[in-house]
Amino acid sequence: MSAAHIPVILLTGFLGAGKTTLLNRLLARADMADTLVIVNEFGEASLDHRLVTHTDDQTVVELASGCICCTLRSGLAQTLRDAHWRFARAGRRQFERIVIESTGLADPAPVLRTLTADARIAERYRLGCTLTVVDATHAAATLAMRPEAVRQVAAADRLLISKADLASADDFMALRHVLGTLNPFAPQLDLRTAALGPALFEPPRIARYRPSPHTLAAEHAVRADSVLIERPLPRQRFDAWLAAWPDVAGPGLLRMKGLFDLAGESRPLIVQGVQHALYPPTPLPSWPDATRGSTVVCITQGIDDTRLQAWLSILRHD
């Protein structure tokens, strides 16, 4: 997608993780002027949007009385479609980026799908990245009990750990291990020391990840499946694999990342998916290391294994 598309940053994390506190820190930066903030709240008595500190150059839009992942998905889509003229002065758009702060009860996948599945939105916006705030003091128990918290972690491009000063060193390291199992793709940043500049909103550098088959996070019944193809992949086979995405798309596919070496192409191609949402294939400027070849990793929970393996086998077919 073109860099001219307006970047959308999704800020997620379970209840009480510290999303609004982080958002206020971000909006206080001079380089965060011209930001449109969309805050989703759950319930009739909305408060979070009043707690977002912003300047005259920043606009806060509240989507209340529902969850952005279900009843208000259409409201989010309409807000995005209208934003370029609704928040304009003298015909000039008054924002250069959008931050969506979702309710702590939201599964992020439907929001991501809205950005990719709605043609009018996809023409104007691009997903910058997904940031998930994780509370170091309560995350272990929350992840064990709340599936939406697991999905928030799995969908993240970056995991931002809050309240680490309130957790013991052992608990902090144990949490980092769990987060690395649930989402091996996402860098983990301690908010006590993390830099909060513009680079935070760009997708992190793609690194190769080759787990052993069926790596398990037993307490969450999460596993990783991977495919490695050393020879350049024919475009026809890649296209057939993409076309079969609906066969595996769904809640059981927490995260998918693929780095592709296509026949006749000098640059690698990255493909990502979260549940039903499939991001547009994107060429990278260069290879992350000296090794060529195609790698696909799927992080899943309760998926139909027969369908998953059939889908992955398309890439292995000679």
Side-chain angles (χ1 to χ4, degrees):
M1 298 185 66
S2 168
H5 284 71
I6 302 165
V8 177
I9 296 93
L10 176 60
L11 178 61
T12 185
F14 201 72
L15 296 170
K19 297 186 297 299
T20 302
T21 300
L22 172 61
L23 182 58
N24 284 336
R25 287 178 61 187
L26 293 171
L27 294 180
R29 296 179 56 92
D31 52 22
M32 285 292 287
D34 303 325
T35 298
L36 173 64
V37 180
I38 300 175
V39 178
N40 169 222
E41 303 186 56
F42 188 84
E44 295 181 358
S46 56
L47 177 63
D48 281 357
H49 70 289
R50 297 182 181 180
L51 303 181
V52 176
T53 304
H54 59 97
T55 70
D56 291 340
D57 294 324
Q58 298 162 334
T59 304
V60 177
V61 178
E62 175 202 4
L63 295 179
S65 301
C67 177
I68 207 169
C69 67
C70 46
T71 58
L72 282 185
R73 182 175 164 190
S74 60
L76 171 64
Q78 193 62 52
T79 297
L80 292 174
R81 292 189 203 109
D82 297 345
H84 65 284
W85 60 263
R86 181 180 172 191
F87 304 105
R89 297 174 188 167
R92 181 184 179 277
R93 189 182 71 239
Q94 294 298 297
F95 61 92
E96 297 301 325
R97 73 194 60 80
I98 293 179
V99 175
I100 300 174
E101 181 191 357
S102 68
T103 174
L105 297 174
D107 180 342
V111 180
L112 300 175
R113 192 179 184 189
T114 298
L115 297 176
T116 58
D118 188 302
R120 284 180 289 175
I121 292 174
E123 287 177 356
R124 191 173 296 273
Y125 302 97
R126 64 176 174 88
L127 178 65
C129 68
T130 300
L131 305 175
T132 298
V133 183
V134 179
D135 179 350
T137 60
H138 296 109
T142 300
L143 290 168
M145 295 186 299
R146 302 301 298 246
E148 60 267 50
V150 173
R151 292 176 183 137
Q152 290 167 0
V153 168
D157 292 304
R158 286 185 175 85
L159 293 165
L160 309 178
I161 303 176
S162 65
K163 309 178 188 178
D165 56 317
L166 302 179
S168 70
D170 288 344
D171 288 345
F172 183 64
M173 293 306 297
L175 173 62
R176 295 195 65 154
H177 173 73
V178 170
L179 296 177
T181 303
L182 294 175
N183 188 339
F185 309 116
Q188 300 177 23
L189 305 179
D190 186 340
L191 283 175
R192 293 175 298 180
T193 57
L196 299 182
L200 186 70
F201 302 135
E202 292 300 323
R205 179 174 172 81
I206 300 297
R208 270 184 210 281
Y209 174 69
R210 297 188 181 100
S212 300
H214 311 308
T215 300
L216 295 178
E219 66 271 35
H220 307 294
V222 173
R223 82 180 205 184
D225 290 83
S226 62
V227 171
L228 173 62
I229 301 163
E230 296 181 350
R231 291 174 295 179
L233 191 68
R235 168 65 75 165
Q236 184 177 8
R237 196 188 311 172
F238 172 74
D239 290 341
W241 176 78
L242 276 183
W245 166 261
D247 292 343
V248 296
L253 184 56
L254 300 182
R255 189 69 187 267
M256 178 275 293
K257 272 196 177 183
L259 186 68
F260 289 93
D261 180 10
L262 298 186
E265 299 291 339
S266 60
R267 296 191 298 168
L269 194 70
I270 184 74
V271 179
Q272 302 188 60
V274 176
Q275 297 185 40
H276 288 94
L278 181 65
Y279 305 162
T282 305
L284 299 180
S286 61
W287 286 90
D289 51 45
T291 304
R292 298 282 292 257
S294 300
T295 307
V296 178
V297 180
C298 297
I299 309 298
T300 63
Q301 184 181 48
I303 200 169
D304 183 329
D305 187 58
T306 301
R307 289 188 176 186
L308 176 65
Q309 297 306 323
W311 183 59
L312 294 175
S313 70
I314 296 173
L315 297 172
R316 302 188 187 102
H317 179 69
D318 290 324

